[in-house]
Amino acid sequence: MSLREKKKIETKNKIFEVSGRLFKEKGFENTTIDEITKEAEIGKGTFFNYFPTKEALLLYFVEQKDELTYSLIEIETARSIPTKDKIKNLLVFLAESYETDKELTKLLIFEYIKYIRSTGLKSGEDQSRHHRLSKILHDFLEDGVKKGEVKGGIDVKIAAETLTAVYFHSVMVWLWSENDYSISEDISGMIDLVFEGIGS
Amino acid sequence: MSLREKKKIETKNKIFEVSGRLFKEKGFENTTIDEITKEAEIGKGTFFNYFPTKEALLLYFVEQKDELTYSLIEIETARSIPTKDKIKNLLVFLAESYETDKELTKLLIFEYIKYIRSTGLKSGEDQSRHHRLSKILHDFLEDGVKKGEVKGGIDVKIAAETLTAVYFHSVMVWLWSENDYSISEDISGMIDLVFEGIGS
DNA sequence: AATCCTACATGACCACAGTCATATTTAAAT
DNA sequence: ATTTAAATATGACTGTGGTCATGTAGGATT
């Protein structure tokens, strides 16, 4: 590895380290680029050589967290249990992983939307939460059909989307609710309902 | 009405008029407060006497559009048709009302989230899209139960939330998709699924 | 009609994200 | 070694949203 590459990595790490600390200390909005660059002992312009915007930095944290979460999930859900339980476990686990820090999650979702708004989810490049989750659910459901636990006649794709919808909606409502209720029950109830159907 | 009140209304209208025109001409982001105030022939500070932020202005447009839409809906859905169709009509109608201007809708949703993020949907004051839609669906479903078109055993509240979830999710996915497919079919398919259930 | 009070108007000013021309450091070429 | 080229660093500068102390005009009080 050349000297240049070493320095680059070093600088990027320094920015992470410092900004991570500052964000925790005083929040994202109250931390300025000037502060970060001063603490990291680099010029202001240098920051923008590594991250195009302040938000891009935040986004990196999101990606890292997601990476970890999804890898955990894939292990966890490999167990062979009833399809419905598997789906419940998955969605509840995901939801609970946000439960630790409501404010941060709000911020991240917000920045995420801001991001996809400006970039427009270019050409499948971004396998975003949505597609990823949807795909996993899709697999679960197909498996469920094979095992006879899910109706054979349904469109698995639409079913996966519906469950994804239920999940995201629950998280959103929970995030912006004042009182701290358990999101798990909510999701669980909706999944039951989707399995049973509401038509008579 | 005093002269003061008249001037106030006049100024507010002027800001609307001018900003509406400029937003259409060059987009929200590319329109500066300086431009708006110059065109409206007011001081820059004056703008902030009427709207706390630039986004607040945008939000007003949202509210006005919503007001119109919901009043139309309440008339439209009074007709006595099968519950499922009623729900389909409602959600498809709502979704299609966004279909005319994808970019603007994105912007509005984004600003809306930004707004509720900062204010936190204080104390029921904001009867937001979500609660409003959820309530209408709730009524529809209860009516459906009475008419025997919806299962009696289910929790109507959860069912309403599930349908709301399906709706919002469809709109979101549609908004940020590249290709222009029909959102109506999507929603329609999901509603069918929720009525039938996916469990075997 | 003179005085006072209050609501509103105003633009100089500030904070901060992001840019860019220039400088510096590293690597390659000779 | 020297020169050349390319990558990276830098901070003065800019654009813009938002603030605030001060000014001004409408309306009440005498």
Side-chain angles (χ1 to χ4, degrees):
Chain A
M1 185 186 291
S2 70
L3 178 55
R4 265 208 185 131
E5 282 171 307
K6 263 188 219 164
K7 280 200 173 178
K8 249 176 101 172
I9 292 173
E10 218 172 276
T11 304
K12 194 164 189 179
N13 283 343
K14 195 75 193 266
I15 294 175
F16 271 126
E17 185 200 304
V18 168
S19 61
R21 182 162 48 76
L22 288 178
F23 289 168
K24 270 187 192 159
E25 269 172 38
K26 25 190 307 186
F28 177 73
E29 317 245 358
N30 297 325
T31 306
T32 66
I33 306 277
D34 279 315
E35 282 175 295
I36 294 172
T37 53
K38 201 175 279 179
E39 290 247 347
E41 287 165 309
I42 55 172
K44 186 176 183 178
T46 305
F47 177 93
F48 293 97
N49 289 340
Y50 290 88
F51 302 96
T53 65
K54 191 184 174 190
E55 281 76 26
L57 181 52
L58 201 56
L59 220 63
Y60 195 93
F61 286 110
V62 182
E63 277 163 22
Q64 289 211 324
K65 188 191 166 147
D66 272 20
E67 220 47 57
L68 189 70
T69 307
Y70 275 99
S71 68
L72 276 174
I73 283 165
E74 267 156 48
I75 295 165
E76 159 71 16
T77 53
R79 297 185 300 152
S80 72
I81 49 174
T83 303
K84 195 164 114 176
D85 292 338
K86 223 161 156 181
I87 292 175
K88 269 193 191 177
N89 282 350
L90 169 63
L91 298 185
V92 167
F93 177 81
L94 264 182
E96 279 174 349
S97 79
Y98 293 129
E99 222 156 5
T100 52
D101 195 338
K102 214 168 172 173
E103 281 315 306
L104 182 67
T105 305
K106 268 193 223 179
L107 197 63
L108 294 183
I109 285 189
F110 176 70
E111 290 307 331
Y112 185 71
I113 291 176
K114 200 164 171 181
Y115 169 74
I116 59 177
R117 184 170 77 82
S118 54
T119 66
L121 285 179
K122 289 272 183 290
S123 62
E125 149 71 42
D126 171 40
Q127 278 310 334
S128 72
R129 304 139 181 261
H130 164 242
H131 290 106
R132 218 155 156 188
L133 179 59
S134 206
K135 198 186 169 314
I136 295 176
L137 286 170
H138 192 273
D139 292 345
F140 281 11
L141 286 169
E142 276 194 334
D143 200 48
V145 171
K146 270 183 206 146
K147 292 198 286 178
E149 290 167 17
V150 174
K151 265 186 199 160
I154 63 159
D155 184 329
V156 176
K157 202 159 158 276
I158 294 182
E161 279 301 317
T162 305
L163 288 169
T164 308
V166 163
Y167 165 71
F168 274 107
H169 184 75
S170 300
V171 172
M172 287 293 181
V173 171
W174 171 77
L175 273 179
W176 278 285
S177 72
E178 251 120 84
N179 39 7
D180 279 332
Y181 63 90
S182 159
I183 188 172
S184 319
E185 284 170 34
D186 246 49
I187 293 182
S188 210
M190 286 197 191
I191 294 173
D192 283 335
L193 192 136
V194 171
F195 266 80
E196 286 156 28
I198 67 177
S200 63
Chain B
M1 185 185 291
S2 71
L3 178 54
R4 263 207 188 135
E5 282 170 307
K6 264 188 219 163
K7 282 200 171 177
K8 248 176 100 172
I9 291 171
E10 217 171 275
T11 304
K12 195 166 189 179
N13 284 343
K14 195 74 194 267
I15 294 176
F16 272 124
E17 186 200 304
V18 167
S19 61
R21 182 162 48 75
L22 289 178
F23 289 167
K24 271 186 193 158
E25 271 173 36
K26 26 190 307 189
F28 177 73
E29 317 245 358
N30 298 324
T31 306
T32 65
I33 307 277
D34 279 316
E35 281 176 295
I36 294 172
T37 53
K38 203 176 277 179
E39 290 248 348
E41 286 163 312
I42 56 172
K44 185 176 184 179
T46 306
F47 177 91
F48 293 96
N49 289 338
Y50 290 88
F51 302 96
T53 66
K54 191 185 174 189
E55 281 77 25
L57 180 53
L58 201 56
L59 219 63
Y60 194 94
F61 286 111
V62 183
E63 278 163 22
Q64 289 210 323
K65 187 190 167 146
D66 272 20
E67 221 46 57
L68 189 69
T69 307
Y70 276 99
S71 68
L72 278 173
I73 283 167
E74 267 156 48
I75 295 164
E76 160 72 15
T77 54
R79 298 185 300 153
S80 73
I81 50 175
T83 304
K84 195 164 115 178
D85 294 337
K86 222 162 157 180
I87 291 175
K88 270 192 189 176
N89 284 350
L90 168 63
L91 297 187
V92 166
F93 177 81
L94 264 182
E96 278 173 351
S97 78
Y98 294 128
E99 223 155 5
T100 53
D101 196 339
K102 211 167 174 173
E103 281 314 308
L104 182 67
T105 306
K106 267 193 224 180
L107 198 63
L108 296 182
I109 285 189
F110 175 69
E111 290 309 332
Y112 185 70
I113 291 176
K114 201 166 172 178
Y115 170 74
I116 60 177
R117 185 170 75 84
S118 54
T119 65
L121 286 179
K122 288 273 182 287
S123 63
E125 150 69 42
D126 171 41
Q127 278 310 335
S128 73
R129 305 140 182 259
H130 164 242
H131 290 105
R132 218 155 155 186
L133 178 59
S134 205
K135 199 185 168 316
I136 296 177
L137 286 170
H138 192 274
D139 292 347
F140 281 10
L141 286 169
E142 276 194 333
D143 201 47
V145 172
K146 271 184 206 145
K147 293 199 285 178
E149 292 166 17
V150 174
K151 264 186 201 161
I154 63 158
D155 184 329
V156 177
K157 202 158 156 277
I158 293 182
E161 279 301 318
T162 305
L163 288 168
T164 308
V166 163
Y167 165 71
F168 274 108
H169 184 75
S170 301
V171 172
M172 286 292 181
V173 171
W174 171 77
L175 273 179
W176 277 284
S177 72
E178 253 118 84
N179 40 6
D180 278 332
Y181 64 91
S182 159
I183 188 171
S184 319
E185 284 171 34
D186 245 50
I187 293 182
S188 210
M190 286 195 189
I191 294 173
D192 283 336
L193 193 135
V194 171
F195 265 80
E196 286 158 29
I198 65 177
S200 61

